[in-house]
Amino acid sequence: MSESIKINFAKLPAAPEGIVILLAGEGVTLGPSAEALLAPAGDLLTRAAAAERFEGKAGSALDLVAPAGLKASRLIVAGVGKPGEMKPFDWLKLGGAVMGRLPASAREAAVVLELPSATVSPEAAAEFALGLRLRAYSFDRYKTKKKPEDQTAKPKVTLYISDDSAAKRAWRKKEGIGEGVTIARDLVNEPANVLTPPEFARRAEALEKVGVDVEVLGEKELRKLGMRALLGVGQGSAQESRVVVMRWDGAKSDAAPVAFIGKGVVFDTGGISIKQAAGMEDMKGDMAGAACVVGLMHALASRKAKVNAVGLIGIVENMPDGNAQRPGDIVTSMSGQTIEIINTDAEGRLVLGDVLWYAKERFKPQFMVDLATLTGAIMVALGTENAGLFSNDDTLSVRLTESGLATGEKVWRMPLSPDYDKLIDSRFADMKNTGGRFGGSITAAQFLQRFVGEVPWAHLDIAGTGMSSPASEFNRSWGSGWGVRLLDRLVADHYES
Ligand code: BES
Ligand code: MN
Ligand code: ZN
């Protein structure tokens, strides 16, 4: 895992030096210790705020270098808007924004976590710290010559807060979520010459350290299970395919697990139906769904979530080759249903069909949620702000939608209905693997639904959110780690005993 910033907690009042960060509400209002800290500087803040038209609005900040009268080398006043209205997600964004304001040279920084009119809860402090961590992430292991401007600050940050021990406890729980997002980002950013399917499986095995039971199925076992749809996708690759099963048994009872399934195409050339050259390099991220599942399992285990959870990922490489699958081929999936391959680039659904079926048969889960960079069409429909949500269950859909709003990892429900089935009827087999240009994300989801039976299920199409999505306050990484916070939240709010 990439090296990250150090975060400490200390009790207010603070007399910090170096880089000092204060929070200001609308109207440039401060808490009492921030006021006291600024007292030796006289009317500095008032004058600077007026000159910069800083009003304490959320997202704005005032940056003063070598402020006269103070020991601080730099004073950053971050606006929070209306302090009473701050939600956890606002604290995450604030932490990210503050991290983004620190100069690259910063070694230490002190944040006074205090508001004019409201106390900062331990949960808020932990979200703030998570925002710092996520913003500080960088994937630079292949940069052998680092220019100063490429260097992201990895300073030691002290958070001053009235109840520092409660804040520290809250952070201990949250830290694992940050690690989970980091694991997911690292996997997505890693190129496919390094992250082959066997290497991906080895990295998943590292979860044993946090108490996750990890089982790796190789091609021989997959053949025995009958996962011929999945194996067909990988058969043109010099690398063997894998399915990894991760289990976290955190509930007291042996209650049915919740199940998370991820698409792990380590590289998608399209296969014989090869993609165009422009932008193909992005297809190293076609395993963002699987990366999220690994990151999520790490998060659940490291915060000792009281839930039984299983994560299953199908890991393959989609390559053109003398041995590759052809358009027109017919494969028999593990479910027994046959599939005519029309386009070898519609490979994700073939992988997921087998893994969803296997998850359902083996674990009889309470629900299944799959994540996949499945279709370009979902970006046409929803852009990069929402993932596509397809589900056979209204309760699960509402819960996912709410968790999305709470974490900022938003989902938007799209339709499923038997009316679309005719688009994937095949002349020769039970179904074909593409449904044409219209409603491309829907027919893909409709295909997946044929492998979930009666289990409550939701499919998240994350082609627009898992990679190459716009930068945010707390994410500058190409691979975003999208979904770890969303699904951790879903579990925490509804499925822990
Ligand atoms: N991995 C791609 C989808 C994708 C495209 C993800 C761009 C992220 C960015 C998927 O395997 C794919 O190729 N889908 C095809 C399906 C089509 C052949 C029916 C697509 O979306 O064009
Ligand atoms: Mn494809
Ligand atoms: Zn793909």
Side-chain angles (χ1 to χ4, degrees):
M1 212 187 306
S2 312
E3 195 210 328
S4 197
I5 56 165
K6 304 243 170 342
I7 296 171
N8 305 309
F9 292 85
K11 214 173 187 55
L12 279 171
E17 297 171 18
I19 302 174
V20 176
I21 296 108
L22 305 178
L23 309 182
E26 251 170 32
V28 200
T29 47
L30 299 174
S33 16
E35 290 274 13
L37 215 128
L38 285 189
D43 62 355
L44 173 74
L45 179 60
T46 319
R47 289 171 46 221
E52 278 273 77
R53 299 215 183 157
F54 173 75
E55 293 166 342
K57 290 210 176 88
S60 68
L62 190 61
D63 191 352
L64 304 176
V65 183
L70 301 182
K71 282 194 193 142
S73 63
R74 190 175 200 120
L75 175 69
I76 300 171
V77 184
V80 304
K82 293 196 173 63
E85 291 179 7
M86 286 183 78
K87 305 247 161 47
F89 183 50
D90 297 313
W91 284 99
L92 179 86
K93 283 190 286 193
L94 183 64
V98 164
M99 188 68 219
R101 295 265 169 188
L102 297 186
S105 57
R107 307 205 132 217
E108 274 187 65
V111 186
V112 177
L113 279 184
E114 186 192 61
L115 291 171
S117 51
T119 45
V120 177
S121 68
E123 171 65 15
E127 284 285 334
F128 181 89
L130 182 60
L132 292 171
R133 264 283 162 83
L134 295 182
R135 176 64 180 258
Y137 172 90
S138 64
F139 184 78
D140 49 16
R141 63 177 65 149
Y142 299 110
K143 296 263 190 197
T144 63
K145 297 180 192 73
K146 281 177 196 147
K147 298 186 219 94
E149 64 269 26
D150 289 343
Q151 211 100 43
T152 5
K154 301 262 192 249
K156 196 172 124 191
V157 185
T158 305
L159 306 183
Y160 288 91
I161 184 165
S162 50
D163 192 348
D164 62 329
S165 43
K168 192 182 280 178
R169 273 197 302 280
W171 172 234
R172 287 283 160 268
K173 289 222 137 186
K174 197 73 74 179
E175 201 170 7
I177 301 172
E179 287 163 5
V181 176
T182 299
I183 288 170
R185 286 179 180 176
D186 278 349
L187 288 167
V188 176
N189 288 326
E190 197 71 87
N193 60 325
V194 175
L195 194 71
T196 60
E199 173 61 15
F200 198 136
R202 279 191 287 277
R203 296 211 186 172
E205 278 177 314
L207 294 192
E208 299 259 6
K209 270 189 301 211
V210 285
V212 175
D213 179 69
V214 185
E215 192 183 329
V216 178
L217 307 179
E219 286 199 348
K220 212 174 125 203
E221 287 140 304
L222 299 178
R223 259 193 298 276
K224 212 147 109 204
L225 286 166
M227 293 205 198
R228 299 199 182 266
L230 180 148
L231 286 167
V233 176
Q235 84 187 27
S237 171
Q239 302 289 337
E240 277 204 17
S241 302
R242 297 279 186 269
V243 167
V244 179
V245 181
M246 294 158 276
R247 304 177 65 164
W248 166 251
D249 288 320
K252 286 206 183 72
S253 67
D254 51 7
V258 296
F260 301 97
I261 290 95
K263 168 180 174 182
V265 177
V266 297
F267 196 81
D268 181 14
T269 63
I272 296 299
S273 316
I274 198 163
K275 289 181 182 294
Q276 62 175 36
M280 203 203 272
E281 66 278 10
D282 280 1
M283 286 301 113
K284 71 170 183 176
D286 206 18
M287 28 56 69
C292 171
V293 172
V294 175
L296 173 68
M297 294 304 290
H298 175 97
L300 294 175
S302 54
R303 69 172 182 79
K304 304 227 176 330
K306 294 186 177 56
V307 68
N308 294 334
V310 293
L312 294 98
I313 54 180
I315 323 175
V316 303
E317 184 182 41
N318 189 20
M319 295 291 259
D321 177 77
N323 191 42
Q325 147 166 289
R326 291 149 291 253
D329 284 4
I330 295 174
V331 295
T332 302
S333 65
M334 184 184 172
S335 71
Q337 300 175 96
T338 57
I339 305 160
E340 181 189 8
I341 311 299
I342 298 297
N343 188 321
T344 63
D345 197 11
E347 84 297 340
R349 64 199 74 180
L350 300 168
V351 172
L352 287 174
D354 272 344
V355 181
L356 282 165
W357 182 267
Y358 180 60
K360 163 176 89 74
E361 291 292 291
R362 176 165 169 194
F363 294 107
K364 312 267 181 282
Q366 287 180 56
F367 70 72
M368 303 196 283
V369 173
D370 78 71
L371 302 101
T373 47
L374 204 64
T375 65
I378 202 65
M379 291 188 263
V380 178
L382 297 175
T384 57
E385 289 298 332
N386 281 274
L389 160 66
F390 299 83
S391 180
N392 61 5
D393 190 90
D394 291 343
T395 306
L396 185 56
S397 291
V398 168
R399 289 176 175 178
L400 278 163
T401 302
E402 285 171 357
S403 301
L405 291 172
T407 56
E409 295 187 326
K410 302 185 293 296
V411 300
W412 195 264
R413 193 168 182 186
M414 302 278 288
L416 281 172
S417 101
D419 304 327
Y420 295 98
D421 273 330
K422 55 182 173 295
L423 295 171
I424 53 173
D425 285 343
S426 159
R427 182 164 184 179
F428 298 107
D430 297 337
M431 66 193 91
K432 55 184 181 181
N433 79 329
T434 56
R437 232 162 60 77
F438 289 175
S441 305
I442 304 171
T443 47
Q446 203 71 34
F447 181 101
L448 296 181
Q449 190 173 18
R450 297 185 177 201
F451 299 86
V452 303
E454 299 301 309
V455 179
W457 154 78
H459 156 58
L460 302 176
D461 194 334
I462 62 168
T465 55
M467 54 173 158
S468 190
S469 37
S472 73
E473 294 292 23
F474 50 88
N475 180 44
R476 299 285 143 145
S477 165
W478 183 78
S480 60
W482 193 96
V484 174
R485 292 186 305 107
L486 167 75
L487 297 174
D488 178 79
R489 177 73 186 234
L490 174 79
V491 170
D493 283 353
H494 302 288
Y495 300 96
E496 291 194 51
S497 46

